Amino acid sequence: MDFDDEGSNFELKEIQTLSGHTDRVWSLAWNPATGTDDAQPVIASCSGDKTVRIWERSALTRSWDCKAVLEETHTRTVRSCTWSPSGKLLATASFDATTAIWENVGGDFQCVSTLEGHENEVKSVSWNASESLLATCSRDKTVWIWEVMPGNEFECASVLQGHTQDVKMIKWHPTMDILFSCSYDNTIKVWAEDDTGDWHCIQTIGESSNGHSSTVWAISFNAGGDKMVTCSDDLTLKVWEADIEGMRSGNNQVLWKHLSTLSGYHDRTIFSVHWSREGIIASGAADDAIRFFVESKDSVVLNSLILNFSLLMDWKTTAVVIPVAMILFLYCIFIV
Amino acid sequence: MVSGLINANPVVYEKKERRQRPASIPDADEYSAEAIDQLEVFDHVRDIKDPEHPYSLEELKVISEDAIEVDDRRSYVSCFRVTFTPTVEHCSMATVIGLCLRVKLMRSLPSRYKVDIRVAPGTHATEAAVNKQLNDKERIAAALENPNLVDMVDECLAPSYA
């Protein structure tokens, strides 16, 4: 995709507002097995109303409908949800200290497993690329790694300690079994397994390594897996890179290095960031703005396409389908 | 739970004279173009009861009108910064007071208003830690799912709804 350096011909157009949740919507996840010629796109959303909703776009009307409400399982806020790479399972992380695993059984979502162990709120859950491992993190400062066994059984493989405060998010590397965590303690930690099967923290990215100076809220990798972007309460986004070939050859000493810091684009906490397959970085912050960044050809400094939203809606009960707008957003490049 | 109060002998101050306000709509209008000023924010919080004593935050000078700053530089998002002064430096009630302020303003102001809450610099031993907690929306949301904490907050907030 070619982007104009000015970036002024972009437009983000709202397609639809999905109503249904009765409390704040914390997170969304696209089902990776959908959005193709055979399968209409599906999104899972989770909320402070303790439920998860599954939305699907109708092939006929092209409008989004709520297909299922996953309720009566979590007893507190559902903080995040994520589909397994095959799209067959959905993991939901809750403030009730559990992680639930759901399976779509003939259109009906059933909770097939409940992972217990964390001492308090679970914040995030992530599947590795081969779907053999699941990771969860919590305010209890730990990261748990679970092995996915046959018959929807999950066994705790390791409890990773090291963070000194709440772990806000964990994310597996897109291609390798290397785990990344970011925390209220302002650091990012990288975890890998050694030859004896023990998991260790192989790198801690703190302020001294050009890291963040406040809570790190999210991590996202580029398609190639050689770069990652993080966002923080320190009002910056930071881009990191690593020697991917070195990592692939099993070298656990490969370190992630700071590549770029994007500051001055948001003036309140940046809560989420995502690096799309097309190479666009999207950030969402408490200043009610969503920004898109692309890497300019001449330098490593990324340009920002500014899209500010004046939120007249009550964000507690609606979930604007921003990612779908990205698809529409792409069409707009040609039309506008 | 400590049997003794953190501050058994607080200094109680005179309350500031109240400005007469026209009768307001119960639910703050989301689309109202009228800006909310410091005094209005102060009116929402001045009567909050201190968690330990039968006095309001205003009477104990924990909160004052001057300690509320408005930042309306950006047209699309309005911010307030509320600075409160705990009565003693090691006050473990600081986070509770901060939480009370946050909850009251969350319930009273339109959601487009962003509120930063902090302890007055130099007035608390673990200032940075308290401030960080009070401004982390996830920590706040989780805390507000704790029924005991919510009961405590609601008790402090009761006099401020008059």
Side-chain angles (χ1 to χ4, degrees):
Chain A
M1 182 183 300
D2 225 1
F3 292 104
D4 180 76
D5 273 294
E6 272 298 308
S8 55
N9 55 336
F10 289 104
E11 200 185 293
L12 192 70
K13 193 173 147 201
E14 187 192 308
I15 298 173
Q16 192 179 341
T17 299
L18 309 181
S19 305
H21 281 298
T22 55
D23 200 297
R24 173 193 257 155
V25 181
W26 281 96
S27 193
L28 299 168
W30 292 89
N31 184 316
T34 65
T36 61
D37 292 330
D38 310 311
Q40 289 299 310
V42 169
I43 294 171
S45 64
C46 57
S47 164
D49 66 12
K50 308 172 198 165
T51 74
V52 175
R53 279 178 179 256
I54 310 295
W55 313 83
E56 192 177 320
R57 190 180 67 189
S58 154
L60 208 64
T61 65
R62 304 293 279 188
S63 108
W64 292 77
D65 308 307
C66 180
K67 304 305 273 186
V69 179
L70 280 46
E71 54 194 345
E72 256 131 66
T73 296
H74 284 302
T75 54
R76 284 184 61 180
T77 287
V78 188
R79 174 64 180 88
S80 67
C81 53
T82 181
W83 298 92
S84 63
S86 64
K88 295 202 181 83
L89 298 173
L90 178 71
T92 59
S94 168
F95 282 2
D96 67 11
T98 73
T99 303
I101 310 295
W102 307 79
E103 192 173 358
N104 186 346
V105 181
D108 191 28
F109 280 82
Q110 286 173 18
C111 175
V112 296
S113 192
T114 302
L115 278 45
E116 293 173 349
H118 280 296
E119 279 169 30
N120 47 50
E121 302 94 55
V122 187
K123 311 286 197 181
S124 172
V125 56
S126 178
W127 300 86
N128 71 340
S130 61
E131 226 165 297
S132 60
L133 300 169
L134 190 69
T136 57
C137 67
S138 159
R139 178 168 65 86
D140 69 8
K141 310 181 184 94
T142 67
V143 173
W144 287 48
I145 295 182
W146 308 80
E147 257 166 45
V148 185
M149 321 279 272
N152 292 324
E153 291 290 313
F154 292 80
E155 211 174 85
C156 176
S158 193
V159 175
L160 309 177
Q161 293 178 314
H163 279 297
T164 56
Q165 293 279 12
D166 323 9
V167 189
K168 293 296 200 184
M169 186 183 187
I170 29 92
K171 199 102 175 74
W172 285 100
H173 185 270
T175 55
M176 289 177 269
D177 283 348
I178 301 176
L179 186 64
F180 295 74
S181 59
C182 61
S183 165
Y184 186 98
D185 68 10
N186 309 349
T187 69
I188 297 152
K189 281 183 183 285
V190 186
W191 312 83
E193 205 176 3
D194 64 20
D195 300 325
T196 64
D198 287 328
W199 288 85
H200 298 286
C201 175
I202 59 172
Q203 190 183 358
T204 297
I205 305 171
E207 239 176 305
S208 53
S209 341
N210 249 310
H212 290 289
S213 54
S214 190
T215 302
V216 189
W217 280 92
I219 307 168
S220 182
F221 292 92
N222 66 347
D226 62 319
K227 294 203 181 87
M228 74 175 173
V229 61
T230 55
C231 64
S232 165
D233 176 60
D234 68 6
L235 314 182
T236 71
L237 291 143
K238 285 179 184 280
V239 184
W240 310 85
E241 67 174 352
D243 166 25
I244 188 104
E245 286 314 317
M247 277 157 62
R248 275 206 203 102
S249 60
N251 179 7
N252 272 354
Q253 303 308 311
V254 171
L255 296 177
W256 286 79
K257 294 191 185 66
H258 175 261
L259 184 60
S260 179
T261 293
L262 303 167
S263 55
Y265 294 100
H266 285 294
D267 41 36
R268 293 188 70 80
T269 307
I270 307 172
F271 290 115
S272 68
V273 66
H274 189 258
W275 207 326
S276 79
R277 282 178 300 241
E278 303 88 2
I280 305 171
I281 291 175
S283 63
D287 56 7
D288 298 352
I290 292 169
R291 284 186 183 251
F292 295 90
F293 300 85
V294 292
E295 195 165 352
S296 87
K297 292 181 188 64
D298 9 308
S299 70
V300 289
V301 174
L302 310 182
N303 290 321
S304 164
L305 315 173
I306 305 152
L307 291 156
N308 292 324
F309 279 73
S310 93
L311 296 182
L312 302 177
M313 324 281 274
D314 179 354
W315 284 91
K316 282 192 301 180
T317 56
T318 64
V320 175
V321 190
I322 293 298
V324 170
M326 286 287 278
I327 299 173
L328 190 70
F329 167 69
L330 299 176
Y331 284 108
C332 280
I333 296 171
F334 302 96
I335 295 164
V336 171
Chain B
M1 202 51 186
V2 277
S3 50
L5 294 178
I6 301 295
N7 183 7
N9 300 302
V11 180
V12 183
Y13 299 84
E14 235 181 81
K15 285 198 263 206
K16 180 175 166 165
E17 197 183 285
R18 310 238 157 172
R19 178 173 97 186
Q20 282 296 96
R21 286 197 161 257
S24 53
I25 312 151
D27 296 299
D29 187 353
E30 292 282 340
Y31 301 93
S32 170
E34 195 187 298
I36 290 179
D37 64 5
Q38 285 100 311
L39 183 57
E40 190 170 337
V41 174
F42 182 56
D43 279 342
H44 284 303
V45 301
R46 67 199 302 175
D47 293 324
I48 293 173
K49 189 187 90 66
D50 179 270
E52 286 194 312
H53 309 95
Y55 296 108
S56 73
L57 297 184
E58 178 183 12
E59 286 171 316
L60 296 173
K61 273 218 165 136
V62 169
I63 187 84
S64 69
E65 194 186 335
D66 308 317
I68 296 168
E69 300 156 275
V70 67
D71 174 8
D72 51 11
R73 278 174 294 162
R74 282 160 300 281
S75 58
Y76 58 91
V77 63
S78 310
C79 314
F80 280 106
R81 183 159 72 170
V82 177
T83 304
F84 70 98
T85 308
T87 53
V88 281
E89 218 182 86
H90 297 275
C91 184
S92 58
M93 285 291 148
T95 34
V96 177
I97 295 170
L99 194 58
C100 288
L101 289 167
R102 191 165 277 298
V103 174
K104 185 69 204 314
L105 292 176
M106 227 162 64
R107 292 178 185 167
S108 316
L109 299 177
S111 54
R112 64 189 168 86
Y113 284 92
K114 309 290 178 178
V115 180
D116 288 325
I117 300 182
R118 62 168 194 168
V119 293
T123 65
H124 196 272
T126 60
E127 185 177 314
V130 171
N131 289 345
K132 196 172 185 181
Q133 277 200 78
L134 292 175
N135 295 293
D136 181 310
K137 70 170 183 180
E138 193 174 35
R139 279 263 188 125
I140 297 286
L144 294 177
E145 287 187 351
N146 175 338
N148 295 327
L149 202 45
V150 172
D151 284 343
M152 197 193 280
V153 168
D154 280 337
E155 210 186 291
C156 294
L157 257 39
S160 72
Y161 287 110

